[in-house]
Amino acid sequence: MNLPVTGSALLPLGILFGFVFGWLLQRARLTDTGVIIGQLRLRDYTLFKVMLTAIIVGGIGVFVLHSGGLAAYHIKPADLLAVVLGAILFGVGMAIYGYCPGTGLAALGTGSLHALAGAVGMLAGAIAFAFSFDWIKAKLLPIAAMGSVRLPELTGIPDLVWFAGLFVIGFAALIALEYRGRA
Amino acid sequence: MTVGTVTAFTGVATGRIDWTPYLMGGGIGVLSWAVFAIADDPLGITTALSAVAGFAAMPFVGAETVWHNSYWAQTIPSLSYGSLFLVGVILGAFAASVGARRFQFEAVPAVWRRRFGPSPTRRFAAAFIGGAIEMYGARLAGGCASGHGISGTLQLALSSWIFTIVMFTTAILVGSYLFGDSGER
């Protein structure tokens, strides 16, 4: 088998990989709005635990794959004005909706009807974006555009040092919270 | 590594620690290896959802308008790996919830009801508006909590770390303000 898989052979893998992702999100309890809102209120650290572990495990593995020529990076451009404005809008929307896009879709599968209302809202948001894209592309994306840069190249600090730092600082914080019964 | 080893290692009295979130997060990490190496398409939701939105827009604005739109010209509405991934996410969560006997129709979640009352209309309207704002922000930034928050950060992308930090800071401030007085979760 030649990797990566391309063309129509890739289609069933879309279902399979999506299935695994949705399954993991439900088992992590992230399809429960209470867990997401609990994280935003700093009462329940489930979302941070899941994301931190995924970043460290995924990051080291993808780094090794990339070093061996088995995976390509897909770095989103740091169009900083658009990224910061988008992140602020996203944060406001997430607090109101109680889901991020992935957990919202997964929640739909667990019977969450309000997640469905939010998914319809997401389609509306995407349509609004498509019709404002020309203006955004011309006026916002070029401002403070730094290109598709990675932290190791930008800082000179090697990849594995970043992951080690994340592991030590992230898990120290989470273990401390666990110990205090706060996470 | 057993819970006992970890306990000894950290010195934490761990009877209460639930390792499930770490295990599921590790699972998402391993899934990332597979999607990078096999599909060459990192985990993400909103790029594919934008393509699906092109289909959703057709009854309202006409297919011609969609096909001529400059955004959909680069995020082409089609039956693709990405759109099937979205179907898979819904199916996987459905299977997991049925398997765990946790499938349940929910119109108004408890955390919302305690703060904003039992009205489904109010909750649906808020979810719709929140979803729309969130999606617009995700497209403006080029990714969501999956595409930037996991796939981008694990590649140590500058854009993704800035997105994730700003996004969580905002969401924590707004979420604490909105739900701050709703008592314990």
Side-chain angles (χ1 to χ4, degrees), chain A residues 85-107:
Chain A
L85 287 178
I88 291 171
L89 287 175
F90 189 99
V92 172
M94 181 170 165
I96 299 171
Y97 182 19
Y99 290 115
C100 45
T103 53
L105 279 187

Side-chain angles (χ1 to χ4, degrees), chain A residues 74 76 97 99 114 132 134, chain B residues 70 106 123 134 136 155:
Chain A
H74 295 263
K76 295 174 188 289
Y97 182 19
Y99 290 115
H114 55 107
S132 53
D134 285 334
Chain B
S70 55
E106 176 186 82
R123 173 57 190 153
E134 179 178 73
Y136 196 92
Q155 297 176 84

Side-chain angles (χ1 to χ4, degrees), chain A residues 25-88:
Chain A
L25 290 175
Q26 196 281 334
R27 285 301 151 100
R29 294 174 51 242
L30 295 179
T31 51
D32 178 347
T33 329
V35 173
I36 306 285
I37 298 294
Q39 178 65 74
L40 301 188
R41 297 173 65 214
L42 305 179
R43 305 279 172 100
D44 177 334
Y45 282 77
T46 302
L47 180 58
F48 281 5
K49 293 174 192 173
V50 172
M51 287 183 70
L52 182 69
T53 318
I55 291 166
I56 295 170
V57 171
I60 294 172
V62 170
F63 172 71
V64 170
L65 287 167
H66 181 263
S67 304
L70 296 171
Y73 281 139
H74 295 263
I75 306 297
K76 295 174 188 289
D79 305 321
L80 289 189
L81 180 67
V83 167
V84 169
L85 287 178
I88 291 171

Side-chain angles (χ1 to χ4, degrees), chain A:
Chain A
M1 185 166 70
N2 292 316
L3 296 178
V5 176
T6 53
S8 59
L10 195 53
L11 296 182
L13 288 175
I15 296 266
L16 173 70
F17 291 148
F19 188 96
V20 174
F21 192 44
W23 191 92
L24 291 165
L25 290 175
Q26 196 281 334
R27 285 301 151 100
R29 294 174 51 242
L30 295 179
T31 51
D32 178 347
T33 329
V35 173
I36 306 285
I37 298 294
Q39 178 65 74
L40 301 188
R41 297 173 65 214
L42 305 179
R43 305 279 172 100
D44 177 334
Y45 282 77
T46 302
L47 180 58
F48 281 5
K49 293 174 192 173
V50 172
M51 287 183 70
L52 182 69
T53 318
I55 291 166
I56 295 170
V57 171
I60 294 172
V62 170
F63 172 71
V64 170
L65 287 167
H66 181 263
S67 304
L70 296 171
Y73 281 139
H74 295 263
I75 306 297
K76 295 174 188 289
D79 305 321
L80 289 189
L81 180 67
V83 167
V84 169
L85 287 178
I88 291 171
L89 287 175
F90 189 99
V92 172
M94 181 170 165
I96 299 171
Y97 182 19
Y99 290 115
C100 45
T103 53
L105 279 187
L108 214 157
T110 71
S112 172
L113 301 172
H114 55 107
L116 180 60
V120 176
M122 285 197 281
L123 292 176
I127 292 168
F129 182 80
F131 285 110
S132 53
F133 179 66
D134 285 334
W135 185 85
I136 285 167
K137 189 178 178 185
K139 303 288 183 186
L140 291 188
L141 296 187
I143 298 177
M146 292 182 63
S148 298
V149 286
R150 297 175 68 250
L151 295 172
E153 283 83 53
L154 195 68
T155 60
I157 299 168
D159 289 69
L160 291 178
V161 175
W162 284 95
F163 292 121
L166 270 177
F167 181 84
V168 170
I169 296 167
F171 281 103
L174 287 174
I175 295 281
L177 286 161
E178 298 265 16
Y179 184 63
R180 292 171 55 204
R182 286 288 306 276

